[in-house]
Amino acid sequence: MSTKENCDRKPVGCDASGVDARFSTHLDAHNPALGRIAIVDTTCRDGEQMPGISFTMEEKLEIAEKLELMGVEQLETFATYNESDKRCALKLKEVTSKMSIMGWNRMVKADIVDSISHGVDAVSVSTETSDMALLHKFKISRREQLEKLADCVSFSKGKGVYVCFNAGDATRTSIEYLIEFASAGKEAGADRFRICDTIGVLTPATSKKLITEVMSAVDIDVEFHAHNDFGLAVANALAAAEAAAPFGRRKFWVSTTVNGLGERAGNVSLEVFVMNLHSHYGMDHYRTEHILPLCKHVEKASGLMIPLNHPIVGENMFTHKSGIHVDGILKNPSLYEAFDPSKLGMSRKIALGKHSGKSSIKHKLNQLGLSASPDAVEAIRHEVGRAGESKKRDISDDEFLAIYNTIMSARVSSGKGLSQNVGGG
């Protein structure tokens, strides 16, 4: 299923009276329909091209297994260029049963042959189509590029594999030539056309326009490969998917990476894109309970820690400190959470530090089985705030206990005792 009209959604975040329980907010009902979404995850290709990132074969195999558990349709990897990638490509089909394995290649027949010999069932044939690339990188004419494209695509199809052909730097290519390029690939027998926003310069509006123009002109499945240089990769992918809706009999592929890995600022974050599909468009095809284990595995394998404030899987998504927010969270979590953390296998946490309120202090006392009078709670709150500011971080349980013991000992010494206790105990 690909659009909210044909999805049977369970409630997500907002349960206020009058809100359609399929969505996070009543406004989601006004989101446009999406095209026939499919995902090709390129963590094992574009993700590994990120400076400082290198996966072992075992790590890639586990990524593949976890992607398949999520329901991702295709994994892109290198299947040529070095011995480790070649061995890994052969193994990928052994650990997956339904997910397609695509090998990335330059527009070079020898590369394509090598990839196919290492077990992939699909190939992507890549070049760059902007005048800048033709002039300065390839030093060939448009005609020469189109002839080479047709030759490589027809050659690949002759090998019996699924073929995607890629227009790198498509977003700095004239629309007329991009359509001519797409038409040439289709006529040569390709299955899919990949549009690459190589340096991440699109906006949601221009993403929609580009997809509409290409899909209106050429009858072929399209893939959108976005980069995040301006922080718009996921938004652009969603806008592009909306633009694909009128062409619903064709598949619209979105290229993703786990944790948003990739060149420079990365690619479309798989976990963020999938949760947007789930929460805002009513698409429940992908199994969200497998997101966190996948993200944590890639975090460990890449050595790149997930930022605390990373959307969807960052630790701060369900960690609350502000007194106003904590008071609301303890009464109704939907007040300050877009969706239930259990949907991802995560849990809610209350942090203590500067700006913590009395509700936070009482909650921590209950957790630790401690008691304090209302004025003692206020004294503890004051000290917790002071400690949080001086330490410039949250307060640990041990530090909280030290503050509690100091204040309660002082109160016993002064004769105030533990009257009118609140909290546990």
Side-chain angles (χ1 to χ4, degrees), residues 13 25 51 63 78 153 173 201 203 239 261-262 334 375-376 393 397 407 417:
T25 163
I63 289 171
F78 286 117
V153 168
T173 301
V201 293
T203 65
L261 298 183
S334 292
D375 55 342
R393 58 169 172 78
D397 281 1
I407 289 175

Side-chain angles (χ1 to χ4, degrees), residues 118-361:
H118 290 97
V120 300
D121 58 85
V123 294
S124 61
V125 180
S126 191
T127 187
E128 295 169 28
T129 53
S130 66
D131 287 341
M132 186 188 311
L134 290 173
L135 177 63
H136 297 290
K137 183 174 180 179
F138 300 123
K139 303 185 188 304
I140 59 174
S141 67
R142 287 178 173 180
R143 179 173 296 278
E144 288 173 312
Q145 185 176 57
L146 292 175
E147 289 173 352
K148 191 172 183 180
L149 170 69
D151 188 34
C152 282
V153 168
S154 60
F155 174 80
S156 301
K157 287 304 295 181
K159 300 294 183 181
V161 294
Y162 179 99
V163 177
C164 174
F165 64 104
N166 311 341
D169 210 11
T171 50
R172 294 190 294 182
T173 301
S174 74
I175 191 64
E176 294 80 14
Y177 182 57
L178 197 63
I179 289 171
E180 186 178 4
F181 184 84
S183 298
K186 179 182 183 299
E187 290 169 8
D191 301 283
R192 180 166 105 219
F193 174 44
R194 178 182 296 175
I195 296 173
C196 303
D197 185 15
T198 300
I199 59 169
V201 293
L202 287 177
T203 65
T206 54
S207 298
K208 278 191 171 184
K209 179 173 175 57
L210 181 60
I211 295 303
T212 299
E213 295 250 11
V214 171
M215 296 190 79
S216 295
V218 187
D219 185 12
I220 191 170
D221 288 357
V222 168
E223 177 187 332
F224 187 71
H225 178 89
H227 279 263
N228 202 38
D229 296 70
F230 285 89
L232 292 173
V234 171
N236 289 343
L238 292 169
E242 290 176 0
F247 312 96
R249 67 178 183 78
R250 290 183 250 167
K251 278 189 178 180
F252 184 77
W253 292 79
V254 174
S255 175
T256 67
T257 57
V258 180
N259 298 341
L261 298 183
E263 297 275 7
R264 301 181 311 281
N267 297 87
V268 174
S269 168
L270 172 66
E271 62 279 6
V272 178
F273 181 68
V274 165
M275 284 305 294
N276 269 277
L277 295 180
H278 176 79
S279 295
H280 295 309
Y281 295 88
M283 181 177 176
D284 59 3
H285 171 67
Y286 301 104
R287 294 183 283 280
T288 60
E289 68 270 22
H290 295 293
I291 288 176
L292 187 62
L294 171 62
C295 291
K296 288 297 186 181
H297 170 66
V298 171
E299 176 184 50
K300 182 179 179 181
S302 67
L304 189 65
M305 298 299 291
I306 297 171
L308 291 175
N309 62 342
H310 187 72
I312 309 302
V313 294
E315 192 72 21
N316 282 356
M317 275 291 296
F318 303 103
T319 300
H320 308 278
K321 184 181 77 170
S322 163
I324 295 172
H325 280 212
V326 170
D327 183 61
I329 283 290
L330 294 175
K331 292 171 180 174
N332 183 344
S334 292
L335 284 167
Y336 295 106
E337 290 175 354
F339 55 89
D340 192 323
S342 65
K343 197 176 292 290
L344 298 179
M346 299 177 74
S347 58
R348 186 174 300 112
K349 298 177 183 178
I350 305 300
L352 292 176
K354 187 178 181 181
H355 301 305
S356 286
K358 287 186 288 186
S359 293
S360 302
I361 303 303

